[in-house]
Amino acid sequence: MAEGYGSIPSTPLLKDELDIVIPTIRNLDFLEMWRPFFQPYHLIIVQDGDPSKTIKVPEGFDYELYNRNDINRILGPKASCISFKDSACRCFGYMISKKKYIFTIDDDCFVWVGDLGEAGIFAGFADLLLDVGIYLVAKDPSGKQINALEQHIKNLLAPSTPFFFNTLYDPFREGADFVRGYPFSLREGVTTAVSHGLWLNIPDYDAPTQLVKPHERNTRYVDAVLTVPKGTLFPMCGMNLAFNRELIGPAMYFGLMGDGQPIGRYDDMWAGWCTKVICDHLGLGVKTGLPYIWHSKASNPFVNLKKEYNGIFWQEELIPFFQSAVLSKDCTTVQKCYIELSKQVREKLGKIDPYFNKLADAMVTWIEAWDELNHSGAAAEKPNGPAK
Ligand SMILES: O=c1ccn([C@@H]2O[C@H](COP(=O)(O)OP(=O)(O)O[C@H]3O[C@@H](CO)[C@H](O)[C@H]3O)[C@@H](O)[C@H]2O)c(=O)[nH]1
Ligand SMILES: [Mn+2]
C-alpha cells in the first residue's frame, strides 16, 4: 500500500473540465503513485499495438479506453491519420475528449519525490521503492509539497508574456512580478494555451545524445516557469504536457509516425512546431518549466536511432520552414491556420521526401476528423472501460 503523497487540493482544480490522456502498451500500475492526484479526473487511455491485448487499469479510476479497433470503428477511413505502434496515437485522446483542458503523461513517468542531493543514489532507490509500492511525499528541493497536475493548471490559468521577456521569470507567480522597465502596456499578458512540463532522472534526449551519455541523469530541478517568446520555436515533448483543448486542440496533431512511416519520435516535436507557429499567429502563450515528473525508463537508444535518423537531418530543413512560416490574416481559427500550414507543408516540404505529402494529407484528415467529432456533436461510441 502506498503511503504519503504531495499536497492534494480539497477540491481538485478543473475536476470536470480536464481529461488525462495516456498512450500505452503496458499495464497502468504507474497510476497507483498518481492516485491521489489523478483519481478525481477522467482518464482517456489510448491503447497502442495489439488491440486483443488486455491493459490492466487499477481499480477506482474513471476512464475510457480506446484500442485500434475502437479508433478504426469511430473514425472509419479517417483513422489513417492516427499513428499505430507509436506514442503519437495519444492525439486520438485529444480528439475524442469533450473537455476544455488536456493533460497527457507517459506511463513511465512518476510523481517526483525526495532530495536531489542523493539523486544519483536516489534514482535506483526510487525505482526500488516504486517496485515495492512505497512512495515518499512529493516535495521540491525547498521541501514544499508539489502536485504536478495542479502546477500545469496554474500555468494554463495564468497569462503568458510572449512579447517581452520578464527577467524574473513568471510575473504572475506568488512572490514575483514584472521587473523595472517592463512596459505596462504589455503587463496584461495573453491567454496561455500550452504548459510544457519537464522531467528528472531520464531526460528526453535524442538517440545520438543518449548513446554518448548513457548514464547521464537530469538532477537539476529549476524552480521556474518561462513563456517561450513569440517567434521562437521549442522542442515540445509529449511526456508531461498540458494544454487548453478549446484554444489549441486542433493544432495538437501528433504527426504520422510508427508503423509504415519513415520516422518516429518526432510526433510531439511536429505538434509543438505547428502549435507554436499558430499560437504566435493567434496571440496565445506557451509556457515551459515546472512541473517536473520523474521519468523512470530509458528507451533503447539503438531502436530510437532507427526511428529518429530521418528526423535528425530533415529537422535542419523543417526548423527554417516553421521559422519562416507566415499565416494569412484570414486564418482566424486554429483549423484554418492548420489547413493553411498543411498546404505550405505540401508545397515546401514535399520536395524533401514524399512522406511530407502524406503528412500534409494526414493533417487535413485530422482536421476533418476533429470537426466531425467535435462540431456535429456526434456522441462517440463508448468503447471498453466503465462509462463516464
Ligand atoms: O509503440 C509505442 C511505444 C510507446 N507507447 C507509449 O508511449 C509512451 C512513451 O513511451 P516510452 O516511455 O517507452 O518512450 P520514450 O522514449 O521514453 O518516450 C519519449 O519519446 C516520445 C515518443 O514520441 C515520448 O513522448 C517521450 O516521452 C508510453 O506511455 C508508452 O506506453 C505507445 O503508445 N506505443
Ligand atoms: Mn519514457
Side-chain angles (χ1 to χ4, degrees), residues 23 26 48 85 87 90 106-108 239 265 267 295 299:
R26 311 169 172 129
D48 193 19
K85 292 190 180 168
S87 64
R90 74 174 86 211
D106 289 2
D107 61 16
D108 63 343
M239 218 189 292
R265 291 169 55 85
D267 49 309
H295 184 207
S299 44

Side-chain angles (χ1 to χ4, degrees), residues 66 69-76 92 96 372-373 380-381 383:
Y66 295 94
N69 295 337
D70 298 315
I71 295 172
N72 294 338
R73 188 182 67 247
I74 293 165
L75 296 185
F92 177 76
I96 202 83
E372 214 168 271
L373 280 191
E381 298 165 56

Side-chain angles (χ1 to χ4, degrees), residues 319-339:
I319 300 304
F321 163 77
F322 282 104
Q323 283 171 330
S324 57
V326 176
L327 299 172
S328 71
K329 62 180 179 9
D330 313 339
C331 294
T332 51
T333 66
V334 177
Q335 282 90 331
K336 287 179 185 170
C337 292
Y338 205 75
I339 294 296

Side-chain angles (χ1 to χ4, degrees), residues 10-63:
S10 48
T11 41
L13 297 176
L14 303 179
K15 175 175 170 306
D16 299 320
E17 295 179 82
L18 180 140
D19 278 340
I20 298 175
V21 174
I22 305 166
T24 194
I25 48 173
R26 311 169 172 129
N27 285 330
L28 295 176
D29 307 331
F30 90 115
L31 284 173
E32 277 307 344
M33 187 172 195
W34 290 103
R35 185 181 290 276
F37 304 95
F38 290 1
Q39 193 153 15
Y41 295 90
H42 181 66
L43 310 182
I44 295 181
I45 299 162
V46 183
Q47 176 185 341
D48 193 19
D50 177 2
S52 67
K53 183 181 168 201
T54 303
I55 295 285
K56 279 210 245 46
V57 183
E59 290 294 316
F61 285 95
D62 169 47
Y63 72 93

